[in-house]
Amino acid sequence: MPSYAYDLLLKKKKFKLREKRKVREQRENVRRNSSSSRRVSRLQNGEVVEAVTLFEVVSMGKQAMQSVVDDWVEAYKQDRNVALLDLINFFIQCSGCQGMVTAEMFQSLQKNDVMQKMTENFDEETGLQYKKFVAYPWILTVTWPVDMDNEDYPLIRTGPYWKKFKANFCEFIAVLVQQCQCSILYDSYLMDTIISLLTGLADSMVRAFRHTSTLAAMKLLTAVVSVHLNLDVNKHNAQRLYEVEKRRISGKRTNYRLDQLERKRKEYEHKLLEIQNMMNAIFKGTFLNRYRDVIPEIRATCIEEIGSWIKTYPDAFLNDSYLKYIGWMLYDKQAEVRLKCLLGLQGIYSRKELVSRMDLFTSRFKDRIVSMPLDKDHEVAVQAMKLLMLMSQNCEDVLSAEDCETLYQFVYTTHRPLAVAAGEFLYKRLLSHEGDEEIQPKRGGKFGASTDQLKRLIRFFLESELHKHVAYLIDSLWDWAGKFLKDWECMTALLLKNAEEDGEELSDAHESVLIEIILATVREAAEGHPPVGRGAAKKILSVKEKKIQLEDCMKITEHFIMVLPQLLAKYSTDAQKVANLLQIPQYYDLDVYSTGHLEKHLDALLREVKDIVTKHSDISVLEASSRTYYVLCNEEIAISSQVDCARTQLIDELMGQLNQLLDGFWQKEEGFCTDAGEISRMHSALRRVAAFHNAHNLTKWNLYDKTLRLLVFEMEHGSLPVLMILPALQCTYFSLLWQLAAISENPPKETLFALGRELRRFCQICMRFLHHKEKDVREKAFMILCDWLLILSHQDSNNNEEAVGLLDYLPSTPLQEKLLLFIQEHVFMEEEEESKDLTEDEERQDESCKLDDLHKKRSLLAAYCKLIVYNVVEMTAAAEIYKHYVKTYNDFGDIIKETLSRTRHNNKIQSAKTLILCLQQLFQRHAESQDSSSGMDFSSASFTNMKELARRFSLTFGWDQVKSRESVAMIHKEGIEFAFQGATGVDGKCLPPNLSFLLIISEFSNKLLKPDKRLVYAYLQRYIAEPLPCRGDEWQPLIWYRNSLLANEDEESSVLGGSGEWSPMGTSKMSSFKRKLSNGSLPDTSQTEAASKAPALQRASQLASATGKSRKRLKSRETHLQEHLPFLCPGGLRRRCCKDEIKTEDVSEEGQAEDVIEDVDVDVVGADQVIPARVFEL
C-alpha cells in the first residue's frame, strides 16, 4: 500500500533550538509540501504572499471560515486520503509541533506488530521524540525535537493574535461539522479518522498535544450534539407527517408519499444511531480521561463543554450520569475549573423547566455551593452567589433560613462585586416582594411601598448587629434598590412625623439607623464611588453617570436645605443623630442658596449649628460642626461672607468663655482647681476650641500662649487633670501647625528663629509627657510627637531652603530610643488578665474595652512605622518590630507586613539587612538562654519560633525571584558570615558558636534562583574545609543548609551522591516523577506505562548532544550573575567556582542522562526569567 509523508520542517533542516524559535517568530509554522494545488505560496523579498497551509489560513482569519471549509470538503470529495492527511497535519500544527508526520496503512501490518508500535518514546539514533498511534485507517507517526517547548504553544500564548487563533480554531471545527452533516459526515471514514486522531493525541504525554486535541474533541462533540438535536427534531417531524399521511389514506392502498416518509424516518434513525456512536466514542475516549487531567486548562475545557451539552440537549445529557462530573469538579483545586462549573450550573438553573430534574444533584451538592461564596478566588465567589440567586428563584425551599442568613452577611464584604451580588440576593429575597407597589400605597399612603421596604431594611441591619457598616450595606444594595434608597422625602417624613397613620412609631434605635441610612445614601449619590475599603480607587464615571450624579446632588440640596434645620432642631440633644445629620451639608450644591434666594434657610441652619455647639462637648459633634462651617465658608460661593460673620461671632463667644475660665483658674491659690464642675466646663471649652482650631485658623485669638502656659504648668507641678491636658496639648499642636503653614516665601529670619525655637520647645514637652503618669496623656503625646517629627522632617516651606534648614528637626539617637522603648512597653507588652466571673453585659463591655485598646495600640504602632518608612528614624529600628511579626500576627500583622514592604521598596539591601539583624538578635538571645554544655536545642519553643519567623519573612518576597534576588542573596551572605563568626582556626574544623544559625537562613534557600544557589554555595565553601568534618550531630546544621542550597541542582547531585548525603537513585526517581507530573500522564494510560519502561542508559545515549548545551547555558548564567551580585563573588571565589564547574563535568553516563532530563522538564530560571506562580490550594 502507498504511504504519504508531510514534511513540516523547512526542507528537512536539523532541529536546532535557535532555528526553531526563529522560524516560529517569523511564521509560527513552516510550510508543507502538498500534492494539492488549492493554495500556492512563495516568498518575495522575505514577505509572505499567500498562506499555504490550512493552519495558516485558519490562524490568520482573513478568509471566511465557510469558504475555507467548503474548499476542504471539495478536496475531500476528490481525494479523501490527501484531504484527511491535510486535516491531520492541521491538528498537529495547531499543537505547536514543528515535526514530521508520516502515515502508513493499517492493513499493511499484523495486529500484534501494530500494538507494539503504539508508543511514545525517544529514537536512539536521531535523538528525536516520536509518537505512534492509530488514526484509522492509518498508523500515524509524529516526530518532534526532544527539547520542544512544552510551555509555549498556540493555545496558551498571550496576545490578541493568539486569542483570535483559538476562536478561529473552535469556529473551524464547528463549521466543518455543520457543512458535513448533510454529506460526508456519515461515510464511516471522516469521523472515524478524526476521532481516532484526537483520541490518540489526547493520551499523549506532551501537554501541547493533549491540550489541543482535547479542545478539538470537546468542540467536535459540541458540534455533533447540535447535529444530533437537529436530527432529532427532523425525525419527530417526519414521524408526525408519516402518522398524518397514514391516517389520511385507506389502509389497503399503497402510497408513494407514505413510502417516502417511511424511508426518510428510517434514514434519520440511522443517522441518529451513527451520531450517538460518535458522541459515545468522543466522550469515553477523551472526556473521561481528560476531565481529571493534571493541567487545569484541560479540565476547565472539559467542564465548560459538558455544561454546554447539558444546556443544548438536556434530554440526552441532563441526568446524574453527566451532572456528577460537574459536581465533582466543584471541589477542584484550581479556581478556573471551579468557575467553569459554576457558569455551567448557572445556565441550567436559570431555566425553570430544567430545575425539576436537578433534585438529586441539588441535594448532593447544595452545601458545597452554599460554601463557595467564601472561596479565595473573587470571581468564583461572585459567580457562586449569582448561582445561589438563581437557585433561590427557581427552586422552592432549596435554601434554608440559616443558609439565607449566612448569605445575607456577604453584603458587608470588602470585595464589591461579591457584595453587589449578595445585595441582589438580599433585595430580591427579603426587601422586594411582588405587589409592593400596588398593595402598600393603599395601606401606607403616599410612601407606603418605600416605608415598608425601609422598615425591612432597618430591621435587617439591627438584627445583623453590625452597626458601623451602614455605608457598606447601602453600597451593596445601590444597584438594585436605588429607587427607594433615593426616596429622601419618605425618609425625612418618617423622622419628622415619627408616627404612621396606623399609630406605629419608630423606636430610638430605628431612628438612629434611619439617619445613618440617609447619610449613607446621600454620600453614595453625591460622590458616586464606593466607601473606603471597598474599591482601590475612585470610580471613573461615564457621561450618563455624571448626569445622574448631578441630578441627585441637586435633588439632595433642594430637599435638605429646607428639611435639615427641622431635623437638627428635633434631635439637637442626641449627639449621635446630630453628628450624622451635620455631615449632610458638605454634599450640597451651595450655589442654590443664592440662586434660589434661600438665605433664610441658611440662617436657620447656622442658628441650629451654633445652638448645637454650645450644647455639646462630644468630639464627633464638634468636629462635624467645624466641618460644616468650613464647607459653608468657601470663598468661591456667594454666601461665604454671611457664614464667616456667623463663624467669627461663634468663636468670639467660645474664646470669651475659655478666657473667663482660664482667668479664674490662674487667680486661684497654687493654680489648682478642685471643683469637678469647673474642670468639666474647662474641658468642654478647650475641646470646642480644639475642634474648631483643627479646621480654622484661630491665630489672631492668641490661643497658643494660653494653652502652652497650661502645659508648662503641668510639667512643673504635675497637678492638672487629664481632661484639661489632652485638649490643651491638641490646641498647642494645631496652633504651631497653623504658624508653620503661614510661613511666606521670604519670611524674616527673626520669625523663623522664633518659630524654630517654639517647635523644639514643643517637642521637648511631648518628650517629657512620654513618661506622664496618665496613660492617655502618654499615648496622646506619642501620637503628636510622631506626626510632628514626620511633618518637620518633610516640610517644604515653599521651596525656601533657608527656612527648611532653620525649621528642620530630625530626632536624635536618645529620642529614637525613647520612641522605640515606648512602642515596646505600650504595644507589645502583654498585660496580665485577671480571671473574673462576669455577667453577659459585663463580658460584652469588657470585650468592647479590649477592642478599643487594640485600636489604640494599632494607631501607636502605625504612627511609629510611618517614621521608619519615611526615614525619620533608622531602618534598623524596624528589627525590634519584626520580632513580634508571628506572635502578634492577628493584631498587628498587616501593619508590620506593610512596613516591611515599604522599606523594601525604599532600599532592598538595607531592608534585607534589617531582617537578618532581627533574626540574629533573636538567635543571640536564644543562645544566651541555653546551657552551653548541652549545646543548642533545636526542638525548643524559641528556636522553633525563630524558624517560623524566618519562613514568614521568606514568604513576603513573593513568587518573583528575579525581583527579590539581591535581597535574598544579601540575607544568605550576612547569615553565613554571622554563622561562622568567632570560629577558631583557619581550617574551619573547629565548631563555630553560631553554626546553628544556618538552619534559620535555610528557610530562604527556596527563594534563590538556581544560579544564585551555586554562588551562595561557593561563598559557603570559603568558610568550611574539605572533607567536611561531619562526625557529630553538631555539624548537622551545615549539612542541612548545604542540602537546601543543592536541592534540585544538577551539577552537585553526583558530588553529594558520592559523599553519601544524597542517593543518585532517589534523584533519578524524583526526576522521573517530575517528568510524569509535568507531562500530565495518567496511571491508566498505555503510553505512560510504555514510556516508564524505557531504560535509563538508552535515554542517556539519545540525549548526549543536549548535555553540552545545558552546561554552556548554566555557565553563561553564572557569569551574568557574578556581574550583578558582586558582593557575593570576590575574585578568589570566582576562580573556585570555575574549578567546581570543571569537577561537575566529570559525571557518569547515567548521571548525564538524569541531569539533562531534569534540565528539560524543569525550568532553569535565569536572570531575565520569572518563576510562574502555580497555586493548587483551594
Side-chain angles (χ1 to χ4, degrees), residues 968-1077:
V968 178
M970 175 58 69
I971 289 175
H972 281 274
K973 174 181 178 293
E974 295 286 332
I976 292 172
E977 293 176 354
F978 176 77
F980 289 93
Q981 194 176 48
T984 58
V986 296
D987 55 355
K989 293 184 178 180
C990 295
L991 183 68
N994 300 331
L995 187 66
S996 300
F997 190 72
L998 294 177
L999 286 177
I1000 306 298
I1001 62 173
S1002 65
E1003 297 291 339
F1004 297 91
S1005 297
N1006 62 336
K1007 294 300 180 181
L1008 285 170
L1009 296 171
K1010 285 187 178 181
D1012 290 353
K1013 287 185 178 181
R1014 289 189 289 274
L1015 292 180
V1016 172
Y1017 175 74
Y1019 191 77
L1020 177 67
Q1021 294 295 99
R1022 297 178 59 190
Y1023 294 91
I1024 60 178
E1026 295 292 348
L1028 182 66
C1030 53
R1031 291 185 296 273
D1033 293 340
E1034 64 273 6
W1035 289 95
Q1036 284 301 316
L1038 176 59
I1039 297 174
W1040 290 337
Y1041 181 58
R1042 282 180 44 162
N1043 290 350
S1044 70
L1045 294 177
L1046 300 177
N1048 298 326
E1049 282 296 316
D1050 300 333
E1051 284 75 18
E1052 300 295 338
S1053 60
S1054 60
V1055 178
L1056 289 175
S1059 62
E1061 297 173 11
W1062 279 0
S1063 171
M1065 183 59 66
T1067 304
S1068 176
K1069 291 180 180 179
M1070 183 61 66
S1071 301
S1072 175
F1073 174 78
K1074 288 182 179 179
R1075 186 165 59 254
K1076 290 180 182 179
L1077 185 61

Side-chain angles (χ1 to χ4, degrees), residues 51-81:
V52 297
T53 66
L54 189 58
F55 168 76
E56 290 173 341
V57 173
V58 172
S59 62
M60 290 179 183
K62 295 182 178 179
Q63 192 174 357
M65 204 59 66
Q66 188 84 22
S67 60
V68 174
V69 173
D70 289 342
D71 291 344
W72 184 88
V73 171
E74 290 299 324
Y76 180 87
K77 292 179 180 179
Q78 295 177 7
D79 190 336
R80 65 182 186 179
N81 290 333

Side-chain angles (χ1 to χ4, degrees), residues 335 338-339 342 372-386 410 413-419 421:
R338 301 195 298 274
L339 181 61
L342 294 172
M372 292 187 76
L374 291 170
D375 197 283
K376 69 176 184 179
D377 185 84
H378 291 319
E379 186 61 25
V380 172
V382 172
Q383 297 305 325
M385 184 62 71
K386 292 181 178 180
F410 283 96
T413 185
T414 56
H415 183 59
R416 191 173 191 274
L418 177 59

Side-chain angles (χ1 to χ4, degrees), residues 488 491-492 495 514-522 560 584:
W488 295 293
M491 298 179 189
T492 53
L495 291 174
L514 183 54
I515 290 175
E516 290 184 40
I517 291 174
I518 291 174
L519 176 60
T521 54
V522 167
F560 283 98
I584 295 177

Side-chain angles (χ1 to χ4, degrees), residues 184-413:
I184 60 177
L185 191 66
Y186 312 99
D187 64 353
S188 300
Y189 192 81
L190 170 65
M191 292 301 292
D192 289 351
T193 303
I194 295 178
I195 293 173
S196 299
L197 168 72
L198 298 179
T199 303
L201 290 177
D203 283 336
S204 174
M205 295 171 62
V206 180
R207 170 180 174 175
F209 288 153
R210 209 165 63 253
H211 189 183
T212 307
S213 59
T214 301
L215 176 62
M218 296 299 99
K219 292 298 181 181
L220 182 66
L221 182 51
T222 301
V224 170
V225 167
S226 299
V227 173
H228 189 285
L229 186 62
N230 294 334
L231 285 175
D232 196 39
V233 173
N234 293 335
K235 174 192 170 184
H236 285 295
N237 292 338
Q239 180 69 28
R240 291 174 58 190
L241 290 174
Y242 176 80
E243 293 174 356
V244 170
E245 187 69 21
K246 188 175 181 180
R247 287 194 299 267
R248 189 178 63 84
I249 65 175
S250 173
K252 298 181 179 180
R253 293 188 303 169
T254 60
N255 185 281
Y256 173 76
R257 172 67 175 166
L258 190 64
D259 294 339
Q260 185 181 22
L261 291 174
E262 176 67 15
R263 287 194 300 270
K264 196 72 172 176
R265 185 175 61 85
K266 291 183 178 180
E267 179 184 353
Y268 286 138
E269 291 178 352
H270 176 71
K271 288 183 177 180
L272 281 172
L273 182 60
E274 290 195 17
I275 290 294
Q276 289 175 357
N277 291 334
M278 297 177 194
M279 292 164 55
N280 291 332
I282 299 175
F283 186 83
K284 294 179 180 179
T286 302
F287 179 88
L288 290 182
N289 291 330
R290 298 277 70 83
Y291 86 92
R292 53 193 175 93
D293 196 279
V294 296
I295 305 301
E297 291 89 345
I298 297 177
R299 302 198 300 272
T301 298
C302 293
I303 296 302
E304 181 181 14
E305 294 307 314
I306 195 174
S308 174
W309 308 334
I310 294 174
K311 288 183 291 184
T312 304
Y313 196 13
D315 292 338
F317 289 97
L318 187 55
N319 55 67
D320 298 325
S321 299
Y322 295 97
L323 287 172
K324 64 183 181 182
Y325 300 109
I326 299 180
W328 291 343
M329 301 313 287
L330 286 172
Y331 297 89
D332 195 273
K333 291 184 178 181
Q334 289 297 316
E336 180 184 3
V337 182
R338 301 195 298 274
L339 181 61
K340 296 299 182 183
C341 294
L342 294 172
L343 293 176
L345 291 174
Q346 286 180 16
I348 300 172
Y349 279 101
S350 61
R351 297 167 60 180
K352 288 188 176 181
E353 67 274 13
L354 303 181
V355 171
S356 60
R357 300 157 65 177
M358 298 280 292
D359 293 340
L360 182 59
F361 178 88
T362 302
S363 62
R364 170 64 179 81
F365 295 103
K366 186 205 74 171
D367 292 339
R368 170 58 181 162
I369 299 173
V370 170
S371 69
M372 292 187 76
L374 291 170
D375 197 283
K376 69 176 184 179
D377 185 84
H378 291 319
E379 186 61 25
V380 172
V382 172
Q383 297 305 325
M385 184 62 71
K386 292 181 178 180
L387 174 60
L388 290 166
M389 179 71 248
L390 294 173
M391 293 173 65
S392 68
Q393 287 179 332
N394 298 326
C395 301
E396 294 183 1
D397 301 328
V398 67
L399 297 178
S400 64
E402 295 180 357
D403 294 333
C404 292
E405 290 296 331
T406 301
L407 297 174
Y408 290 157
Q409 301 305 313
F410 283 96
V411 295
Y412 299 109
T413 185

